[in-house]
Amino acid sequence: MENITLISCSLFRSEIEFLRSSQELKMPVVYLNSILHIYPEKLQTVMDKVILREIKKGQKVVLLYGECHAYISDYAKNPDIERVKGLNCIEIILGKEQYKRIQKDRIFCFMPEWINRWEDIFKSHLGLNRENARAFMKDMHSKAVYIDTGAAPIPSKIIQDILQNFLNFSHQKYTN
């Protein structure tokens, strides 16, 4: 694995670093800021540069990304690039069947990295405030859940704050 670089969304940092600390994952990792999901053209530009840099160093590349920009599937044409299968980060973490269930149930999912940056993401990048976030969530989602991957402590206070004070959802466990 010495000539393989993992290029990952920073959304997966906790999980990847957990694997690296246990020596289960030994390849070098380049993290791209998860905020780039909100700006797909910028994500493509940054990703293209990083991929080109790694390939020029003689590395093969594994992309830990869903379908996060319009041309991401074009990377498959390059034999030096593989992409983890999955529509998005939630499907990559939970698998196709569980993701379908979450979609069917109209559930909004928080991952460990985004929940810790929720205020910046919601307010600064998505332009949401308390009122329009509640309206958006009510129209699009029936509930919100935190995906506990086991790689980071559960930020219970942050979850409670978001659900009650910003999104107006109740706190409950969602199990399979």
Side-chain angles (χ1 to χ4, degrees), residues 89-105:
C89 56
I90 305 301
E91 185 178 307
I92 290 169
I93 290 285
L94 298 179
K96 193 174 206 142
E97 292 308 310
Q98 185 70 357
Y99 178 68
K100 282 181 185 177
R101 180 174 173 211
I102 281 174
Q103 274 190 310
K104 181 179 163 270
D105 291 346

Side-chain angles (χ1 to χ4, degrees), residues 120-135:
D120 178 47
I121 293 164
F122 272 53
K123 292 178 179 178
S124 301
H125 295 280
L126 297 176
L128 297 174
N129 59 38
R130 187 178 183 144
E131 290 75 35
N132 63 14
R134 285 180 173 185

Side-chain angles (χ1 to χ4, degrees), residues 11 14-15 110-116 146-149 152:
L11 188 97
S14 295
E15 293 72 26
F110 282 104
M111 293 285 292
E113 196 226 13
W114 272 43
I115 201 138
N116 289 308
Y146 172 75
I147 306 294
D148 177 11
T149 63

Side-chain angles (χ1 to χ4, degrees), residues 42-111:
K42 196 184 256 185
L43 172 61
Q44 180 185 356
T45 300
V46 171
M47 192 178 284
D48 287 349
K49 286 179 185 174
V50 173
I51 289 170
L52 183 61
R53 180 190 73 209
E54 293 302 314
I55 289 175
K56 281 184 176 179
K57 290 189 326 192
Q59 296 289 97
K60 296 195 181 292
V61 170
V62 174
L63 293 174
L64 184 51
Y65 272 91
E67 298 187 15
C68 301
H69 69 69
Y71 301 101
I72 201 157
S73 57
D74 289 349
Y75 296 129
K77 296 173 188 171
N78 185 326
D80 292 329
I81 303 171
E82 289 289 331
R83 186 169 66 87
V84 174
K85 298 207 183 322
L87 181 64
N88 56 39
C89 56
I90 305 301
E91 185 178 307
I92 290 169
I93 290 285
L94 298 179
K96 193 174 206 142
E97 292 308 310
Q98 185 70 357
Y99 178 68
K100 282 181 185 177
R101 180 174 173 211
I102 281 174
Q103 274 190 310
K104 181 179 163 270
D105 291 346
R106 298 177 45 235
I107 296 172
F108 181 84
C109 297
F110 282 104
M111 293 285 292

Side-chain angles (χ1 to χ4, degrees), residues 137-154:
M137 290 306 247
K138 192 171 199 100
D139 286 346
M140 301 295 294
H141 304 285
S142 63
K143 62 181 94 170
V145 298
Y146 172 75
I147 306 294
D148 177 11
T149 63
I154 298 172

